[in-house]
PDB file of all heavy atoms in Angstrom:
ATOM      1  N   VAL A  15       4.355  15.710 -14.602  1.00 35.00           N
ATOM      2  CA  VAL A  15       5.317  16.136 -13.580  1.00 35.00           C
ATOM      3  C   VAL A  15       4.786  15.815 -12.201  1.00 35.00           C
ATOM      4  O   VAL A  15       5.517  15.442 -11.271  1.00 35.00           O
ATOM      5  CB  VAL A  15       5.582  17.640 -13.723  1.00 35.00           C
ATOM      6  CG1 VAL A  15       6.483  18.138 -12.568  1.00 35.00           C
ATOM      7  CG2 VAL A  15       6.233  17.940 -15.045  1.00 35.00           C
ATOM      8  N   SER A  16       3.489  15.922 -12.018  1.00 39.00           N
ATOM      9  CA  SER A  16       2.876  15.655 -10.710  1.00 39.00           C
ATOM     10  C   SER A  16       3.055  14.236 -10.278  1.00 39.00           C
ATOM     11  O   SER A  16       3.129  13.931  -9.099  1.00 39.00           O
ATOM     12  CB  SER A  16       1.375  16.012 -10.738  1.00 39.00           C
ATOM     13  OG  SER A  16       0.698  15.185 -11.663  1.00 39.00           O
ATOM     14  N   ALA A  17       3.145  13.297 -11.196  1.00 41.00           N
ATOM     15  CA  ALA A  17       3.329  11.907 -10.830  1.00 41.00           C
ATOM     16  C   ALA A  17       4.664  11.685 -10.154  1.00 41.00           C
ATOM     17  O   ALA A  17       4.817  10.844  -9.288  1.00 41.00           O
ATOM     18  CB  ALA A  17       3.243  11.021 -12.094  1.00 41.00           C
ATOM     19  N   PHE A  18       5.674  12.493 -10.561  1.00 43.00           N
ATOM     20  CA  PHE A  18       6.991  12.367  -9.952  1.00 43.00           C
ATOM     21  C   PHE A  18       7.065  13.102  -8.598  1.00 43.00           C
ATOM     22  O   PHE A  18       7.794  12.702  -7.725  1.00 43.00           O
ATOM     23  CB  PHE A  18       8.077  12.914 -10.894  1.00 43.00           C
ATOM     24  CG  PHE A  18       8.360  11.958 -12.015  1.00 43.00           C
ATOM     25  CD1 PHE A  18       7.893  12.193 -13.296  1.00 43.00           C
ATOM     26  CD2 PHE A  18       9.156  10.850 -11.789  1.00 43.00           C
ATOM     27  CE1 PHE A  18       8.178  11.322 -14.323  1.00 43.00           C
ATOM     28  CE2 PHE A  18       9.468   9.969 -12.827  1.00 43.00           C
ATOM     29  CZ  PHE A  18       8.983  10.189 -14.109  1.00 43.00           C
ATOM     30  N   SER A  19       6.335  14.191  -8.496  1.00 50.00           N
ATOM     31  CA  SER A  19       6.431  14.995  -7.304  1.00 50.00           C
ATOM     32  C   SER A  19       5.590  14.469  -6.158  1.00 50.00           C
ATOM     33  O   SER A  19       5.801  14.817  -5.010  1.00 50.00           O
ATOM     34  CB  SER A  19       6.034  16.451  -7.646  1.00 50.00           C
ATOM     35  OG  SER A  19       4.677  16.501  -8.086  1.00 50.00           O
ATOM     36  N   GLN A  20       4.619  13.650  -6.465  1.00 71.00           N
ATOM     37  CA  GLN A  20       3.705  13.162  -5.425  1.00 71.00           C
ATOM     38  C   GLN A  20       4.407  12.151  -4.532  1.00 71.00           C
ATOM     39  O   GLN A  20       5.067  11.219  -4.991  1.00 71.00           O
ATOM     40  CB  GLN A  20       2.492  12.487  -6.081  1.00 71.00           C
ATOM     41  CG  GLN A  20       1.423  12.107  -5.077  1.00 71.00           C
ATOM     42  CD  GLN A  20       0.200  11.553  -5.775  1.00 71.00           C
ATOM     43  OE1 GLN A  20       0.221  11.351  -6.998  1.00 71.00           O
ATOM     44  NE2 GLN A  20      -0.855  11.317  -5.021  1.00 71.00           N
ATOM     45  N   LYS A  21       4.285  12.313  -3.237  1.00 85.00           N
ATOM     46  CA  LYS A  21       4.944  11.433  -2.282  1.00 85.00           C
ATOM     47  C   LYS A  21       4.197  10.095  -2.167  1.00 85.00           C
ATOM     48  O   LYS A  21       2.975   9.996  -2.278  1.00 85.00           O
ATOM     49  CB  LYS A  21       4.990  12.090  -0.894  1.00 85.00           C
ATOM     50  CG  LYS A  21       6.119  13.116  -0.772  1.00 85.00           C
ATOM     51  CD  LYS A  21       6.394  13.451   0.681  1.00 85.00           C
ATOM     52  CE  LYS A  21       7.637  14.314   0.808  1.00 85.00           C
ATOM     53  NZ  LYS A  21       7.971  14.571   2.233  1.00 85.00           N
ATOM     54  N   ILE A  22       4.982   9.039  -1.942  1.00 86.00           N
ATOM     55  CA  ILE A  22       4.415   7.701  -1.758  1.00 86.00           C
ATOM     56  C   ILE A  22       3.972   7.589  -0.298  1.00 86.00           C
ATOM     57  O   ILE A  22       4.709   7.942   0.625  1.00 86.00           O
ATOM     58  CB  ILE A  22       5.483   6.626  -2.046  1.00 86.00           C
ATOM     59  CG1 ILE A  22       6.006   6.792  -3.482  1.00 86.00           C
ATOM     60  CG2 ILE A  22       4.899   5.225  -1.844  1.00 86.00           C
ATOM     61  CD1 ILE A  22       7.231   5.916  -3.786  1.00 86.00           C
ATOM     62  N   THR A  23       2.785   7.062  -0.055  1.00 92.00           N
ATOM     63  CA  THR A  23       2.319   6.810   1.314  1.00 92.00           C
ATOM     64  C   THR A  23       2.928   5.529   1.839  1.00 92.00           C
ATOM     65  O   THR A  23       3.430   4.720   1.040  1.00 92.00           O
ATOM     66  CB  THR A  23       0.790   6.717   1.366  1.00 92.00           C
ATOM     67  OG1 THR A  23       0.370   5.526   0.661  1.00 92.00           O
ATOM     68  CG2 THR A  23       0.111   7.959   0.758  1.00 92.00           C
ATOM     69  N   ARG A  24       2.908   5.353   3.136  1.00 92.00           N
ATOM     70  CA  ARG A  24       3.458   4.116   3.701  1.00 92.00           C
ATOM     71  C   ARG A  24       2.697   2.912   3.208  1.00 92.00           C
ATOM     72  O   ARG A  24       3.283   1.872   2.902  1.00 92.00           O
ATOM     73  CB  ARG A  24       3.404   4.180   5.219  1.00 92.00           C
ATOM     74  CG  ARG A  24       3.874   2.877   5.904  1.00 92.00           C
ATOM     75  CD  ARG A  24       4.266   3.112   7.337  1.00 92.00           C
ATOM     76  NE  ARG A  24       5.495   3.923   7.380  1.00 92.00           N
ATOM     77  CZ  ARG A  24       6.007   4.436   8.515  1.00 92.00           C
ATOM     78  NH1 ARG A  24       5.399   4.220   9.679  1.00 92.00           N
ATOM     79  NH2 ARG A  24       7.125   5.127   8.472  1.00 92.00           N
ATOM     80  N   ASP A  25       1.372   3.041   3.113  1.00 90.00           N
ATOM     81  CA  ASP A  25       0.562   1.918   2.618  1.00 90.00           C
ATOM     82  C   ASP A  25       0.949   1.538   1.189  1.00 90.00           C
ATOM     83  O   ASP A  25       1.086   0.359   0.856  1.00 90.00           O
ATOM     84  CB  ASP A  25      -0.914   2.265   2.671  1.00 90.00           C
ATOM     85  CG  ASP A  25      -1.846   1.160   2.238  1.00 90.00           C
ATOM     86  OD1 ASP A  25      -1.837   0.101   2.902  1.00 90.00           O
ATOM     87  OD2 ASP A  25      -2.535   1.313   1.233  1.00 90.00           O
ATOM     88  N   GLU A  26       1.144   2.542   0.332  1.00 89.00           N
ATOM     89  CA  GLU A  26       1.549   2.266  -1.062  1.00 89.00           C
ATOM     90  C   GLU A  26       2.912   1.640  -1.115  1.00 89.00           C
ATOM     91  O   GLU A  26       3.139   0.726  -1.894  1.00 89.00           O
ATOM     92  CB  GLU A  26       1.521   3.588  -1.831  1.00 89.00           C
ATOM     93  CG  GLU A  26       0.158   4.123  -2.133  1.00 89.00           C
ATOM     94  CD  GLU A  26       0.163   5.532  -2.726  1.00 89.00           C
ATOM     95  OE1 GLU A  26       1.175   6.259  -2.534  1.00 89.00           O
ATOM     96  OE2 GLU A  26      -0.810   5.916  -3.385  1.00 89.00           O
ATOM     97  N   TYR A  27       3.809   2.116  -0.258  1.00 92.00           N
ATOM     98  CA  TYR A  27       5.171   1.580  -0.239  1.00 92.00           C
ATOM     99  C   TYR A  27       5.149   0.089   0.129  1.00 92.00           C
ATOM    100  O   TYR A  27       5.814  -0.746  -0.483  1.00 92.00           O
ATOM    101  CB  TYR A  27       6.058   2.336   0.726  1.00 92.00           C
ATOM    102  CG  TYR A  27       7.471   1.882   0.778  1.00 92.00           C
ATOM    103  CD1 TYR A  27       8.391   2.274  -0.181  1.00 92.00           C
ATOM    104  CD2 TYR A  27       7.916   1.011   1.768  1.00 92.00           C
ATOM    105  CE1 TYR A  27       9.704   1.834  -0.159  1.00 92.00           C
ATOM    106  CE2 TYR A  27       9.220   0.559   1.806  1.00 92.00           C
ATOM    107  CZ  TYR A  27      10.115   0.983   0.851  1.00 92.00           C
ATOM    108  OH  TYR A  27      11.414   0.522   0.875  1.00 92.00           O
ATOM    109  N   ILE A  28       4.388  -0.249   1.167  1.00 91.00           N
ATOM    110  CA  ILE A  28       4.288  -1.616   1.631  1.00 91.00           C
ATOM    111  C   ILE A  28       3.726  -2.523   0.537  1.00 91.00           C
ATOM    112  O   ILE A  28       4.259  -3.613   0.256  1.00 91.00           O
ATOM    113  CB  ILE A  28       3.457  -1.716   2.897  1.00 91.00           C
ATOM    114  CG1 ILE A  28       4.170  -1.054   4.067  1.00 91.00           C
ATOM    115  CG2 ILE A  28       3.094  -3.166   3.244  1.00 91.00           C
ATOM    116  CD1 ILE A  28       3.301  -0.804   5.302  1.00 91.00           C
ATOM    117  N   ARG A  29       2.658  -2.090  -0.091  1.00 87.00           N
ATOM    118  CA  ARG A  29       2.051  -2.883  -1.156  1.00 87.00           C
ATOM    119  C   ARG A  29       2.980  -3.064  -2.354  1.00 87.00           C
ATOM    120  O   ARG A  29       2.952  -4.078  -3.040  1.00 87.00           O
ATOM    121  CB  ARG A  29       0.729  -2.263  -1.581  1.00 87.00           C
ATOM    122  CG  ARG A  29      -0.355  -2.281  -0.515  1.00 87.00           C
ATOM    123  CD  ARG A  29      -1.551  -1.446  -0.890  1.00 87.00           C
ATOM    124  NE  ARG A  29      -2.456  -1.261   0.241  1.00 87.00           N
ATOM    125  CZ  ARG A  29      -3.503  -2.052   0.511  1.00 87.00           C
ATOM    126  NH1 ARG A  29      -3.750  -3.069  -0.312  1.00 87.00           N
ATOM    127  NH2 ARG A  29      -4.276  -1.827   1.539  1.00 87.00           N
ATOM    128  N   GLN A  30       3.800  -2.056  -2.573  1.00 86.00           N
ATOM    129  CA  GLN A  30       4.699  -2.081  -3.710  1.00 86.00           C
ATOM    130  C   GLN A  30       5.847  -3.092  -3.544  1.00 86.00           C
ATOM    131  O   GLN A  30       6.251  -3.748  -4.499  1.00 86.00           O
ATOM    132  CB  GLN A  30       5.270  -0.688  -3.973  1.00 86.00           C
ATOM    133  CG  GLN A  30       6.058  -0.559  -5.266  1.00 86.00           C
ATOM    134  CD  GLN A  30       6.356   0.897  -5.591  1.00 86.00           C
ATOM    135  OE1 GLN A  30       6.127   1.794  -4.775  1.00 86.00           O
ATOM    136  NE2 GLN A  30       6.867   1.122  -6.763  1.00 86.00           N
ATOM    137  N   TRP A  31       6.367  -3.228  -2.310  1.00 89.00           N
ATOM    138  CA  TRP A  31       7.589  -4.000  -2.115  1.00 89.00           C
ATOM    139  C   TRP A  31       7.399  -5.213  -1.224  1.00 89.00           C
ATOM    140  O   TRP A  31       8.380  -5.925  -0.935  1.00 89.00           O
ATOM    141  CB  TRP A  31       8.691  -3.097  -1.576  1.00 89.00           C
ATOM    142  CG  TRP A  31       9.012  -1.990  -2.531  1.00 89.00           C
ATOM    143  CD1 TRP A  31       8.742  -0.695  -2.401  1.00 89.00           C
ATOM    144  CD2 TRP A  31       9.599  -2.134  -3.836  1.00 89.00           C
ATOM    145  NE1 TRP A  31       9.133   0.021  -3.499  1.00 89.00           N
ATOM    146  CE2 TRP A  31       9.664  -0.843  -4.390  1.00 89.00           C
ATOM    147  CE3 TRP A  31      10.096  -3.221  -4.542  1.00 89.00           C
ATOM    148  CZ2 TRP A  31      10.204  -0.628  -5.661  1.00 89.00           C
ATOM    149  CZ3 TRP A  31      10.603  -3.026  -5.815  1.00 89.00           C
ATOM    150  CH2 TRP A  31      10.654  -1.714  -6.355  1.00 89.00           C
ATOM    151  N   GLN A  32       6.169  -5.546  -0.861  1.00 87.00           N
ATOM    152  CA  GLN A  32       5.939  -6.670   0.068  1.00 87.00           C
ATOM    153  C   GLN A  32       6.398  -7.997  -0.512  1.00 87.00           C
ATOM    154  O   GLN A  32       6.959  -8.841   0.222  1.00 87.00           O
ATOM    155  CB  GLN A  32       4.468  -6.730   0.425  1.00 87.00           C
ATOM    156  CG  GLN A  32       3.554  -6.898  -0.773  1.00 87.00           C
ATOM    157  CD  GLN A  32       2.060  -6.865  -0.409  1.00 87.00           C
ATOM    158  OE1 GLN A  32       1.719  -7.049   0.763  1.00 87.00           O
ATOM    159  NE2 GLN A  32       1.190  -6.629  -1.361  1.00 87.00           N
ATOM    160  N   LEU A  33       6.214  -8.209  -1.803  1.00 82.00           N
ATOM    161  CA  LEU A  33       6.584  -9.502  -2.386  1.00 82.00           C
ATOM    162  C   LEU A  33       8.097  -9.671  -2.392  1.00 82.00           C
ATOM    163  O   LEU A  33       8.604 -10.793  -2.256  1.00 82.00           O
ATOM    164  CB  LEU A  33       6.040  -9.617  -3.805  1.00 82.00           C
ATOM    165  CG  LEU A  33       4.499  -9.636  -3.924  1.00 82.00           C
ATOM    166  CD1 LEU A  33       4.114  -9.855  -5.398  1.00 82.00           C
ATOM    167  CD2 LEU A  33       3.896 -10.684  -3.045  1.00 82.00           C
ATOM    168  N   VAL A  34       8.829  -8.570  -2.595  1.00 86.00           N
ATOM    169  CA  VAL A  34      10.274  -8.664  -2.548  1.00 86.00           C
ATOM    170  C   VAL A  34      10.746  -8.992  -1.152  1.00 86.00           C
ATOM    171  O   VAL A  34      11.663  -9.808  -0.979  1.00 86.00           O
ATOM    172  CB  VAL A  34      10.920  -7.332  -3.050  1.00 86.00           C
ATOM    173  CG1 VAL A  34      12.427  -7.423  -3.002  1.00 86.00           C
ATOM    174  CG2 VAL A  34      10.454  -7.012  -4.465  1.00 86.00           C
ATOM    175  N   ALA A  35      10.112  -8.412  -0.141  1.00 89.00           N
ATOM    176  CA  ALA A  35      10.486  -8.694   1.266  1.00 89.00           C
ATOM    177  C   ALA A  35      10.212 -10.186   1.581  1.00 89.00           C
ATOM    178  O   ALA A  35      11.036 -10.839   2.260  1.00 89.00           O
ATOM    179  CB  ALA A  35       9.675  -7.822   2.225  1.00 89.00           C
TER     180      ALA A  35
END
Side-chain angles (χ1 to χ4, degrees):
V15 174
S16 62
F18 282 103
S19 61
Q20 187 176 7
K21 281 195 172 185
I22 303 170
T23 66
R24 176 160 292 172
D25 182 63
E26 288 171 337
Y27 182 82
I28 291 168
R29 292 170 191 268
Q30 189 169 9
W31 298 110
Q32 59 184 342
L33 297 184
V34 180

